[in-house]
Amino acid sequence: MDTKSKDLQLQYEGFLQTPFLWNGKGVYGLQQFKNSSTKTVSYTNDNPQKLRLGKLVERFVSFDLQQQSSINIVSENIQIQQEKITLGELDCILNQNNNPIHLEIIYKFYLYDASVGTIEIEHFIGPNRKDSLVEKLTKLKEKQLPLLYSNQCKEYLKSINIDISKIEQQVYFKAQLFVPLNDKSIELSTLNSDCITGFYINQNEISQFADCKFHIPNKHNWLVQPHTNIKWLNFNVFTKLASEFLEDNKSPLCWMKLTNGEIIKIFITWW
């Protein structure tokens, strides 16, 4: 297996092992998809180069669903247009046990910041503070899911023999959550605590880990469960590379190998 195929397999396995952000209808009344897939298989799809991470995850979800006998994918990445203007896109329409489902697919990385908002779901923001969990949930609730009921979409559903009165809307929302270094014991009540993957620190807190080894994975490898089969960076080399991201107002995800051999996923924030 070449390096690209190995990386892809590890990315797929990391995606599979990422928990759903909640179960049932616990958040904004959005029904989380019930996935029966548990076993890891070899990922055999040939993906085009340079897919964005979100698009790669959509490929992984599609491949995973195809392994399940109870599921039949009807269509994917459906552009809904009105006079050549794209109104939006439906990620996936499938039948599960002959029940039609419109499925929106989301995979996110969020950091817990108690200074933002007042309730649990409001505290989670993107690593670069550009987006938040609440923004994504609001977009799903107010824009992406209602698209199904637009006149243009009704015409499309009719063309593929789907009865709009019978279709259910669900989300396939997985996430990796990171908590502050000084508050690692945060207990979540609304969201799934199993999604807590590691912690984050800002650049002023890095020095306390000077005796650790580091690795900065590329964006697709943010999905990967940390392993030892890589070249580790010493603290000096790592801080020089990390500072290039931080100066650009980008918070890199890193693997940190402690002196006892334990490997942890962390974000270094510029803010």
Side-chain angles (χ1 to χ4, degrees):
M1 194 187 278
D2 61 35
T3 304
K4 183 183 161 228
S5 300
K6 277 183 188 166
D7 282 351
L8 201 54
Q9 181 64 28
L10 288 173
Q11 289 158 10
Y12 178 63
E13 290 172 12
F15 146 76
L16 280 183
Q17 289 159 17
T18 306
F20 286 98
L21 188 52
W22 69 89
N23 297 308
K25 278 191 174 178
V27 178
Y28 273 43
L30 298 169
Q31 177 65 51
Q32 189 80 255
F33 183 70
K34 285 192 180 72
N35 195 17
S36 58
S37 171
T38 50
K39 62 183 186 299
T40 302
V41 296
S42 294
Y43 184 76
T44 53
N45 272 15
D46 191 23
N47 290 335
Q49 293 285 346
K50 305 211 169 157
L51 278 178
R52 284 189 302 105
L53 183 61
K55 287 292 176 192
L56 178 66
V57 166
E58 286 178 20
R59 297 284 177 116
F60 287 163
V61 171
S62 178
F63 182 79
D64 182 40
L65 296 177
Q66 286 166 33
Q67 314 307 310
Q68 301 175 50
S69 58
S70 63
I71 290 173
N72 170 46
I73 295 176
V74 179
S75 53
E76 298 175 282
N77 306 121
I78 308 119
Q79 301 275 335
I80 303 300
Q81 295 185 317
Q82 179 179 21
E83 296 170 358
K84 297 186 179 173
I85 295 168
T86 301
L87 301 176
E89 181 179 282
L90 307 181
D91 286 345
C92 182
I93 293 176
L94 58 88
N95 281 311
Q96 186 176 36
N97 298 314
N98 294 320
N99 297 315
I101 294 170
H102 163 219
L103 192 65
E104 283 297 312
I105 297 161
I106 309 100
Y107 192 109
K108 290 286 189 180
F109 300 80
Y110 289 121
L111 280 53
Y112 182 98
D113 184 345
S115 72
V116 178
T118 54
I119 59 172
E120 184 178 296
I121 60 169
E122 293 174 346
H123 295 326
F124 284 98
I125 59 170
N128 297 321
R129 304 191 79 83
K130 284 181 181 168
D131 59 343
S132 68
L133 173 56
V134 164
E135 282 173 49
K136 184 61 192 175
L137 293 169
T138 303
K139 187 180 176 189
L140 276 167
K141 189 91 174 166
E142 296 180 1
K143 189 175 178 188
Q144 289 174 274
L145 295 177
L147 178 65
L148 186 77
Y149 299 103
S150 66
N151 290 332
Q152 293 74 17
C153 197
K154 283 177 187 171
E155 289 297 314
Y156 172 75
L157 292 173
K158 204 183 286 181
S159 75
I160 57 171
N161 298 316
I162 298 273
D163 184 345
I164 194 161
S165 69
K166 292 184 179 164
I167 195 165
E168 189 181 346
Q169 299 205 89
Q170 297 185 9
V171 295
Y172 191 112
F173 201 138
K174 290 189 162 195
Q176 295 185 35
L177 304 179
F178 294 78
V179 295
L181 172 64
N182 58 8
D183 200 1
K184 290 196 289 184
S185 59
I186 288 167
E187 301 250 337
L188 301 182
S189 54
T190 306
L191 303 176
N192 182 0
S193 294
D194 291 341
C195 288
I196 296 176
T197 307
F199 61 82
Y200 70 90
I201 55 177
N202 66 36
Q203 48 199 327
N204 301 322
E205 297 172 298
I206 297 177
S207 57
Q208 62 191 287
F209 299 103
D211 54 355
C212 298
K213 296 274 199 298
F214 297 87
H215 171 64
I216 306 177
N218 65 36
K219 191 75 181 273
H220 282 186
N221 285 338
W222 284 19
L223 297 172
V224 174
Q225 297 276 8
H227 56 83
T228 55
N229 191 23
I230 49 160
K231 288 182 179 169
W232 292 98
L233 306 171
N234 66 34
F235 182 73
N236 289 339
V237 174
F238 165 71
T239 47
K240 279 187 188 131
L241 288 173
S243 67
E244 292 173 18
F245 287 92
L246 300 168
E247 283 163 15
D248 209 17
N249 283 6
K250 288 180 180 166
S251 302
L253 182 145
C254 313
W255 300 358
M256 181 167 70
K257 186 172 161 186
L258 305 180
T259 50
N260 66 3
E262 184 187 355
I263 304 173
I264 301 170
K265 263 187 184 177
I266 64 170
F267 268 100
I268 315 278
T269 63
W270 56 265
W271 34 273

Short mmCIF file of all heavy atoms in Angstrom, two decimals, residues 80-132:
data_model
loop_
_atom_site.label_atom_id
_atom_site.label_comp_id
_atom_site.label_asym_id
_atom_site.label_seq_id
_atom_site.Cartn_x
_atom_site.Cartn_y
_atom_site.Cartn_z
N ILE A 80 -29.72 22.38 -6.13
CA ILE A 80 -31.08 22.87 -6.36
C ILE A 80 -30.99 24.26 -6.97
O ILE A 80 -30.42 25.18 -6.35
CB ILE A 80 -31.91 22.89 -5.05
CG1 ILE A 80 -31.94 21.49 -4.43
CG2 ILE A 80 -33.32 23.41 -5.31
CD1 ILE A 80 -32.56 20.40 -5.29
N GLN A 81 -31.52 24.40 -8.19
CA GLN A 81 -31.33 25.66 -8.92
C GLN A 81 -32.66 26.29 -9.30
O GLN A 81 -33.67 25.62 -9.47
CB GLN A 81 -30.51 25.40 -10.19
CG GLN A 81 -29.08 24.94 -9.87
CD GLN A 81 -28.24 24.81 -11.12
OE1 GLN A 81 -28.71 24.30 -12.12
NE2 GLN A 81 -26.99 25.25 -11.04
N GLN A 82 -32.59 27.60 -9.43
CA GLN A 82 -33.73 28.36 -9.94
C GLN A 82 -33.19 29.28 -11.02
O GLN A 82 -32.41 30.19 -10.75
CB GLN A 82 -34.37 29.19 -8.82
CG GLN A 82 -35.55 30.03 -9.29
CD GLN A 82 -36.17 30.82 -8.14
OE1 GLN A 82 -35.53 31.04 -7.12
NE2 GLN A 82 -37.41 31.24 -8.31
N GLU A 83 -33.58 28.99 -12.26
CA GLU A 83 -33.10 29.77 -13.41
C GLU A 83 -31.59 29.96 -13.38
O GLU A 83 -31.07 31.07 -13.42
CB GLU A 83 -33.81 31.13 -13.46
CG GLU A 83 -35.30 31.00 -13.68
CD GLU A 83 -36.05 32.32 -13.50
OE1 GLU A 83 -35.39 33.32 -13.15
OE2 GLU A 83 -37.26 32.31 -13.69
N LYS A 84 -30.89 28.83 -13.29
CA LYS A 84 -29.42 28.76 -13.32
C LYS A 84 -28.74 29.36 -12.09
O LYS A 84 -27.52 29.42 -12.02
CB LYS A 84 -28.87 29.40 -14.59
CG LYS A 84 -29.31 28.67 -15.84
CD LYS A 84 -28.64 29.23 -17.07
CE LYS A 84 -29.09 28.46 -18.30
NZ LYS A 84 -28.58 29.06 -19.54
N ILE A 85 -29.52 29.82 -11.13
CA ILE A 85 -28.93 30.29 -9.86
C ILE A 85 -29.08 29.16 -8.84
O ILE A 85 -30.17 28.64 -8.64
CB ILE A 85 -29.64 31.56 -9.35
CG1 ILE A 85 -29.41 32.72 -10.33
CG2 ILE A 85 -29.15 31.94 -7.95
CD1 ILE A 85 -30.28 33.92 -10.09
N THR A 86 -27.96 28.79 -8.21
CA THR A 86 -28.00 27.71 -7.23
C THR A 86 -28.56 28.21 -5.91
O THR A 86 -28.02 29.13 -5.30
CB THR A 86 -26.58 27.11 -7.02
OG1 THR A 86 -26.10 26.63 -8.27
CG2 THR A 86 -26.62 25.96 -6.02
N LEU A 87 -29.65 27.61 -5.46
CA LEU A 87 -30.27 27.98 -4.19
C LEU A 87 -29.57 27.29 -3.02
O LEU A 87 -29.55 27.79 -1.90
CB LEU A 87 -31.75 27.58 -4.18
CG LEU A 87 -32.63 28.18 -5.27
CD1 LEU A 87 -34.04 27.63 -5.18
CD2 LEU A 87 -32.67 29.71 -5.15
N GLY A 88 -29.00 26.13 -3.30
CA GLY A 88 -28.32 25.35 -2.26
C GLY A 88 -28.09 23.93 -2.74
O GLY A 88 -28.35 23.61 -3.90
N GLU A 89 -27.60 23.11 -1.83
CA GLU A 89 -27.28 21.74 -2.18
C GLU A 89 -27.79 20.79 -1.10
O GLU A 89 -27.68 21.08 0.10
CB GLU A 89 -25.76 21.59 -2.34
CG GLU A 89 -25.30 20.20 -2.72
CD GLU A 89 -23.78 20.12 -2.90
OE1 GLU A 89 -23.30 20.56 -3.95
OE2 GLU A 89 -23.11 19.62 -1.98
N LEU A 90 -28.37 19.68 -1.52
CA LEU A 90 -28.72 18.60 -0.59
C LEU A 90 -27.58 17.60 -0.60
O LEU A 90 -27.15 17.16 -1.66
CB LEU A 90 -30.02 17.92 -1.02
CG LEU A 90 -31.25 18.78 -1.26
CD1 LEU A 90 -32.45 17.91 -1.65
CD2 LEU A 90 -31.60 19.60 -0.03
N ASP A 91 -27.07 17.25 0.58
CA ASP A 91 -25.92 16.33 0.63
C ASP A 91 -26.28 14.94 0.14
O ASP A 91 -25.56 14.34 -0.65
CB ASP A 91 -25.35 16.24 2.05
CG ASP A 91 -24.57 17.49 2.44
OD1 ASP A 91 -24.24 18.28 1.54
OD2 ASP A 91 -24.31 17.68 3.64
N CYS A 92 -27.40 14.40 0.63
CA CYS A 92 -27.70 13.00 0.34
C CYS A 92 -29.18 12.70 0.53
O CYS A 92 -29.79 13.17 1.49
CB CYS A 92 -26.85 12.11 1.26
SG CYS A 92 -27.06 10.35 1.00
N ILE A 93 -29.74 11.93 -0.39
CA ILE A 93 -31.07 11.36 -0.20
C ILE A 93 -30.92 9.85 -0.25
O ILE A 93 -30.30 9.31 -1.17
CB ILE A 93 -32.07 11.86 -1.26
CG1 ILE A 93 -32.32 13.36 -1.05
CG2 ILE A 93 -33.39 11.10 -1.19
CD1 ILE A 93 -33.21 14.01 -2.07
N LEU A 94 -31.44 9.18 0.76
CA LEU A 94 -31.28 7.73 0.84
C LEU A 94 -32.56 7.09 1.34
O LEU A 94 -33.44 7.74 1.88
CB LEU A 94 -30.10 7.37 1.76
CG LEU A 94 -30.14 7.86 3.21
CD1 LEU A 94 -30.88 6.87 4.11
CD2 LEU A 94 -28.73 8.06 3.75
N ASN A 95 -32.64 5.79 1.13
CA ASN A 95 -33.69 5.00 1.75
C ASN A 95 -33.05 4.11 2.80
O ASN A 95 -32.09 3.41 2.51
CB ASN A 95 -34.40 4.12 0.71
CG ASN A 95 -35.40 4.91 -0.12
OD1 ASN A 95 -36.22 5.64 0.43
ND2 ASN A 95 -35.33 4.78 -1.44
N GLN A 96 -33.57 4.17 4.03
CA GLN A 96 -33.12 3.28 5.10
C GLN A 96 -34.32 2.43 5.50
O GLN A 96 -35.32 2.95 5.97
CB GLN A 96 -32.59 4.08 6.29
CG GLN A 96 -31.96 3.20 7.38
CD GLN A 96 -31.35 4.03 8.50
OE1 GLN A 96 -31.88 5.07 8.87
NE2 GLN A 96 -30.25 3.57 9.05
N ASN A 97 -34.18 1.13 5.26
CA ASN A 97 -35.33 0.23 5.47
C ASN A 97 -36.57 0.76 4.74
O ASN A 97 -37.68 0.77 5.28
CB ASN A 97 -35.62 0.04 6.96
CG ASN A 97 -34.44 -0.60 7.69
OD1 ASN A 97 -33.87 -1.57 7.21
ND2 ASN A 97 -34.06 -0.03 8.82
N ASN A 98 -36.33 1.24 3.52
CA ASN A 98 -37.39 1.76 2.64
C ASN A 98 -38.03 3.06 3.12
O ASN A 98 -39.06 3.47 2.58
CB ASN A 98 -38.48 0.70 2.39
CG ASN A 98 -37.93 -0.47 1.61
OD1 ASN A 98 -37.15 -0.29 0.68
ND2 ASN A 98 -38.30 -1.68 2.00
N ASN A 99 -37.43 3.71 4.12
CA ASN A 99 -37.90 5.02 4.54
C ASN A 99 -36.99 6.09 3.95
O ASN A 99 -35.77 6.06 4.18
CB ASN A 99 -37.89 5.14 6.07
CG ASN A 99 -38.83 4.14 6.72
OD1 ASN A 99 -39.96 3.99 6.27
ND2 ASN A 99 -38.36 3.46 7.74
N PRO A 100 -37.54 7.06 3.19
CA PRO A 100 -36.69 8.09 2.57
C PRO A 100 -36.18 9.10 3.60
O PRO A 100 -36.94 9.55 4.47
CB PRO A 100 -37.61 8.76 1.55
CG PRO A 100 -38.99 8.51 2.03
CD PRO A 100 -38.96 7.21 2.81
N ILE A 101 -34.90 9.42 3.50
CA ILE A 101 -34.25 10.36 4.42
C ILE A 101 -33.42 11.36 3.62
O ILE A 101 -32.66 10.98 2.73
CB ILE A 101 -33.34 9.62 5.43
CG1 ILE A 101 -34.16 8.72 6.37
CG2 ILE A 101 -32.51 10.61 6.25
CD1 ILE A 101 -33.32 7.79 7.23
N HIS A 102 -33.59 12.64 3.96
CA HIS A 102 -32.66 13.67 3.47
C HIS A 102 -31.63 13.86 4.57
O HIS A 102 -31.95 14.20 5.70
CB HIS A 102 -33.42 14.98 3.20
CG HIS A 102 -32.50 16.17 3.11
ND1 HIS A 102 -32.82 17.40 3.63
CD2 HIS A 102 -31.25 16.30 2.57
CE1 HIS A 102 -31.82 18.24 3.43
NE2 HIS A 102 -30.85 17.61 2.80
N LEU A 103 -30.36 13.63 4.21
CA LEU A 103 -29.29 13.63 5.21
C LEU A 103 -28.29 14.75 4.91
O LEU A 103 -27.76 14.84 3.80
CB LEU A 103 -28.56 12.27 5.16
CG LEU A 103 -27.60 11.94 6.30
CD1 LEU A 103 -28.34 11.82 7.62
CD2 LEU A 103 -26.84 10.64 6.00
N GLU A 104 -28.08 15.61 5.90
CA GLU A 104 -27.02 16.62 5.79
C GLU A 104 -25.82 16.15 6.60
O GLU A 104 -25.96 15.70 7.75
CB GLU A 104 -27.52 17.98 6.30
CG GLU A 104 -28.43 18.71 5.32
CD GLU A 104 -27.74 19.06 4.00
OE1 GLU A 104 -26.62 19.60 4.03
OE2 GLU A 104 -28.33 18.77 2.93
N ILE A 105 -24.63 16.27 6.02
CA ILE A 105 -23.41 15.69 6.60
C ILE A 105 -22.49 16.81 7.09
O ILE A 105 -22.16 17.74 6.34
CB ILE A 105 -22.69 14.84 5.53
CG1 ILE A 105 -23.59 13.67 5.11
CG2 ILE A 105 -21.34 14.34 6.06
CD1 ILE A 105 -23.21 13.04 3.78
N ILE A 106 -22.09 16.72 8.36
CA ILE A 106 -21.23 17.76 8.95
C ILE A 106 -20.15 17.10 9.78
O ILE A 106 -20.42 16.16 10.54
CB ILE A 106 -22.03 18.72 9.87
CG1 ILE A 106 -23.28 19.26 9.15
CG2 ILE A 106 -21.15 19.89 10.33
CD1 ILE A 106 -24.56 18.56 9.51
N TYR A 107 -18.91 17.60 9.63
CA TYR A 107 -17.80 17.16 10.48
C TYR A 107 -17.04 18.41 10.88
O TYR A 107 -16.56 19.15 10.02
CB TYR A 107 -16.89 16.20 9.71
CG TYR A 107 -15.89 15.47 10.60
CD1 TYR A 107 -16.02 14.10 10.84
CD2 TYR A 107 -14.81 16.12 11.19
CE1 TYR A 107 -15.12 13.41 11.65
CE2 TYR A 107 -13.92 15.46 12.01
CZ TYR A 107 -14.06 14.10 12.23
OH TYR A 107 -13.16 13.43 13.05
N LYS A 108 -16.95 18.66 12.19
CA LYS A 108 -16.38 19.94 12.65
C LYS A 108 -15.37 19.74 13.78
O LYS A 108 -15.36 18.72 14.48
CB LYS A 108 -17.50 20.85 13.14
CG LYS A 108 -18.41 21.38 12.04
CD LYS A 108 -17.73 22.45 11.21
CE LYS A 108 -18.67 23.15 10.26
NZ LYS A 108 -17.99 24.17 9.46
N PHE A 109 -14.56 20.78 13.97
CA PHE A 109 -13.62 20.89 15.09
C PHE A 109 -14.01 22.14 15.86
O PHE A 109 -14.02 23.24 15.29
CB PHE A 109 -12.18 21.01 14.58
CG PHE A 109 -11.74 19.83 13.75
CD1 PHE A 109 -12.10 19.72 12.42
CD2 PHE A 109 -10.96 18.82 14.31
CE1 PHE A 109 -11.71 18.63 11.66
CE2 PHE A 109 -10.55 17.73 13.55
CZ PHE A 109 -10.93 17.63 12.23
N TYR A 110 -14.34 21.97 17.14
CA TYR A 110 -14.75 23.12 17.94
C TYR A 110 -13.96 23.18 19.25
O TYR A 110 -13.62 22.15 19.83
CB TYR A 110 -16.25 23.03 18.29
CG TYR A 110 -17.17 23.27 17.12
CD1 TYR A 110 -18.08 22.30 16.73
CD2 TYR A 110 -17.15 24.47 16.40
CE1 TYR A 110 -18.95 22.50 15.66
CE2 TYR A 110 -18.00 24.68 15.33
CZ TYR A 110 -18.90 23.70 14.96
OH TYR A 110 -19.75 23.91 13.91
N LEU A 111 -13.71 24.41 19.70
CA LEU A 111 -13.01 24.65 20.96
C LEU A 111 -13.98 25.29 21.96
O LEU A 111 -14.79 26.13 21.57
CB LEU A 111 -11.81 25.58 20.73
CG LEU A 111 -10.52 24.96 20.16
CD1 LEU A 111 -10.74 24.17 18.90
CD2 LEU A 111 -9.47 26.04 19.94
N TYR A 112 -13.86 24.86 23.20
CA TYR A 112 -14.76 25.34 24.25
C TYR A 112 -14.21 26.64 24.82
O TYR A 112 -13.13 26.67 25.39
CB TYR A 112 -14.86 24.28 25.35
CG TYR A 112 -15.79 24.62 26.49
CD1 TYR A 112 -17.09 24.12 26.52
CD2 TYR A 112 -15.38 25.41 27.56
CE1 TYR A 112 -17.95 24.39 27.58
CE2 TYR A 112 -16.23 25.70 28.62
CZ TYR A 112 -17.51 25.18 28.62
OH TYR A 112 -18.35 25.46 29.66
N ASP A 113 -14.99 27.71 24.68
CA ASP A 113 -14.61 29.01 25.25
C ASP A 113 -15.77 29.52 26.10
O ASP A 113 -16.79 29.96 25.57
CB ASP A 113 -14.29 30.00 24.13
CG ASP A 113 -13.78 31.34 24.66
OD1 ASP A 113 -13.94 31.60 25.88
OD2 ASP A 113 -13.24 32.13 23.87
N ALA A 114 -15.60 29.43 27.42
CA ALA A 114 -16.68 29.80 28.35
C ALA A 114 -17.06 31.27 28.24
O ALA A 114 -18.16 31.67 28.66
CB ALA A 114 -16.27 29.46 29.78
N SER A 115 -16.17 32.10 27.68
CA SER A 115 -16.48 33.53 27.59
C SER A 115 -17.45 33.84 26.45
O SER A 115 -17.95 34.95 26.34
CB SER A 115 -15.18 34.33 27.38
OG SER A 115 -14.68 34.14 26.08
N VAL A 116 -17.70 32.85 25.59
CA VAL A 116 -18.63 33.06 24.47
C VAL A 116 -19.98 32.43 24.83
O VAL A 116 -20.06 31.26 25.16
CB VAL A 116 -18.09 32.39 23.18
CG1 VAL A 116 -19.09 32.56 22.04
CG2 VAL A 116 -16.75 32.98 22.80
N GLY A 117 -21.03 33.23 24.78
CA GLY A 117 -22.38 32.71 25.04
C GLY A 117 -22.63 32.38 26.50
O GLY A 117 -21.77 32.60 27.37
N THR A 118 -23.81 31.81 26.76
CA THR A 118 -24.20 31.53 28.14
C THR A 118 -24.55 30.06 28.38
O THR A 118 -24.58 29.62 29.52
CB THR A 118 -25.43 32.38 28.53
OG1 THR A 118 -26.47 32.15 27.57
CG2 THR A 118 -25.09 33.85 28.57
N ILE A 119 -24.83 29.30 27.32
CA ILE A 119 -25.16 27.88 27.50
C ILE A 119 -24.14 27.03 26.75
O ILE A 119 -23.39 27.53 25.91
CB ILE A 119 -26.60 27.55 27.03
CG1 ILE A 119 -26.76 27.90 25.54
CG2 ILE A 119 -27.63 28.27 27.89
CD1 ILE A 119 -28.08 27.43 24.95
N GLU A 120 -24.15 25.75 27.06
CA GLU A 120 -23.11 24.83 26.58
C GLU A 120 -22.85 24.91 25.07
O GLU A 120 -21.71 25.07 24.64
CB GLU A 120 -23.51 23.39 26.95
CG GLU A 120 -22.47 22.35 26.60
CD GLU A 120 -22.92 20.96 27.03
OE1 GLU A 120 -23.07 20.73 28.26
OE2 GLU A 120 -23.15 20.12 26.16
N ILE A 121 -23.91 24.82 24.27
CA ILE A 121 -23.67 24.78 22.82
C ILE A 121 -23.14 26.11 22.29
O ILE A 121 -22.51 26.14 21.23
CB ILE A 121 -24.92 24.34 22.03
CG1 ILE A 121 -26.10 25.28 22.25
CG2 ILE A 121 -25.30 22.90 22.33
CD1 ILE A 121 -27.25 25.04 21.30
N GLU A 122 -23.37 27.21 23.05
CA GLU A 122 -22.87 28.52 22.60
C GLU A 122 -21.39 28.68 22.89
O GLU A 122 -20.74 29.58 22.33
CB GLU A 122 -23.66 29.63 23.30
CG GLU A 122 -25.12 29.69 22.88
CD GLU A 122 -25.92 30.71 23.69
OE1 GLU A 122 -25.41 31.18 24.74
OE2 GLU A 122 -27.05 31.02 23.29
N HIS A 123 -20.84 27.84 23.76
CA HIS A 123 -19.43 27.97 24.15
C HIS A 123 -18.47 27.39 23.10
O HIS A 123 -17.26 27.60 23.20
CB HIS A 123 -19.16 27.28 25.48
CG HIS A 123 -19.87 27.89 26.65
ND1 HIS A 123 -20.11 29.24 26.77
CD2 HIS A 123 -20.40 27.32 27.77
CE1 HIS A 123 -20.76 29.47 27.91
NE2 HIS A 123 -20.94 28.32 28.54
N PHE A 124 -18.98 26.66 22.11
CA PHE A 124 -18.08 25.99 21.16
C PHE A 124 -17.92 26.81 19.88
O PHE A 124 -18.88 27.12 19.18
CB PHE A 124 -18.61 24.58 20.82
CG PHE A 124 -18.34 23.61 21.94
CD1 PHE A 124 -19.32 23.30 22.87
CD2 PHE A 124 -17.08 23.02 22.08
CE1 PHE A 124 -19.07 22.42 23.91
CE2 PHE A 124 -16.82 22.14 23.12
CZ PHE A 124 -17.81 21.83 24.04
N ILE A 125 -16.66 27.15 19.61
CA ILE A 125 -16.33 28.00 18.45
C ILE A 125 -15.27 27.30 17.60
O ILE A 125 -14.61 26.37 18.05
CB ILE A 125 -15.80 29.38 18.91
CG1 ILE A 125 -14.55 29.19 19.79
CG2 ILE A 125 -16.88 30.16 19.65
CD1 ILE A 125 -13.82 30.47 20.09
N GLY A 126 -15.12 27.77 16.37
CA GLY A 126 -14.09 27.22 15.49
C GLY A 126 -12.70 27.60 15.98
O GLY A 126 -12.54 28.59 16.71
N PRO A 127 -11.67 26.84 15.57
CA PRO A 127 -10.31 27.10 16.05
C PRO A 127 -9.79 28.51 15.74
O PRO A 127 -8.94 29.02 16.44
CB PRO A 127 -9.46 26.06 15.30
CG PRO A 127 -10.42 25.00 14.87
CD PRO A 127 -11.74 25.67 14.69
N ASN A 128 -10.33 29.12 14.68
CA ASN A 128 -9.89 30.47 14.32
C ASN A 128 -10.92 31.54 14.67
O ASN A 128 -10.82 32.67 14.21
CB ASN A 128 -9.56 30.52 12.82
CG ASN A 128 -8.42 29.58 12.49
OD1 ASN A 128 -7.46 29.47 13.24
ND2 ASN A 128 -8.53 28.88 11.36
N ARG A 129 -11.91 31.15 15.48
CA ARG A 129 -12.96 32.06 15.96
C ARG A 129 -13.83 32.63 14.83
O ARG A 129 -14.52 33.62 15.00
CB ARG A 129 -12.38 33.23 16.77
CG ARG A 129 -11.55 32.79 17.95
CD ARG A 129 -11.20 33.94 18.88
NE ARG A 129 -12.29 34.31 19.76
CZ ARG A 129 -12.59 33.72 20.91
NH1 ARG A 129 -11.85 32.71 21.33
NH2 ARG A 129 -13.62 34.11 21.64
N LYS A 130 -13.78 31.98 13.67
CA LYS A 130 -14.55 32.50 12.54
C LYS A 130 -15.96 31.92 12.48
O LYS A 130 -16.83 32.45 11.82
CB LYS A 130 -13.83 32.16 11.22
CG LYS A 130 -12.64 33.03 10.95
CD LYS A 130 -12.02 32.65 9.62
CE LYS A 130 -10.79 33.50 9.34
NZ LYS A 130 -10.01 32.98 8.24
N ASP A 131 -16.14 30.78 13.10
CA ASP A 131 -17.46 30.16 13.07
C ASP A 131 -17.75 29.55 14.44
O ASP A 131 -16.88 29.50 15.30
CB ASP A 131 -17.53 29.09 11.97
CG ASP A 131 -16.48 28.00 12.17
OD1 ASP A 131 -15.52 28.23 12.93
OD2 ASP A 131 -16.61 26.91 11.59
N SER A 132 -18.98 29.10 14.61
CA SER A 132 -19.34 28.53 15.90
C SER A 132 -20.37 27.42 15.67
O SER A 132 -20.99 27.33 14.61
CB SER A 132 -19.94 29.60 16.82
OG SER A 132 -21.20 30.02 16.31
#
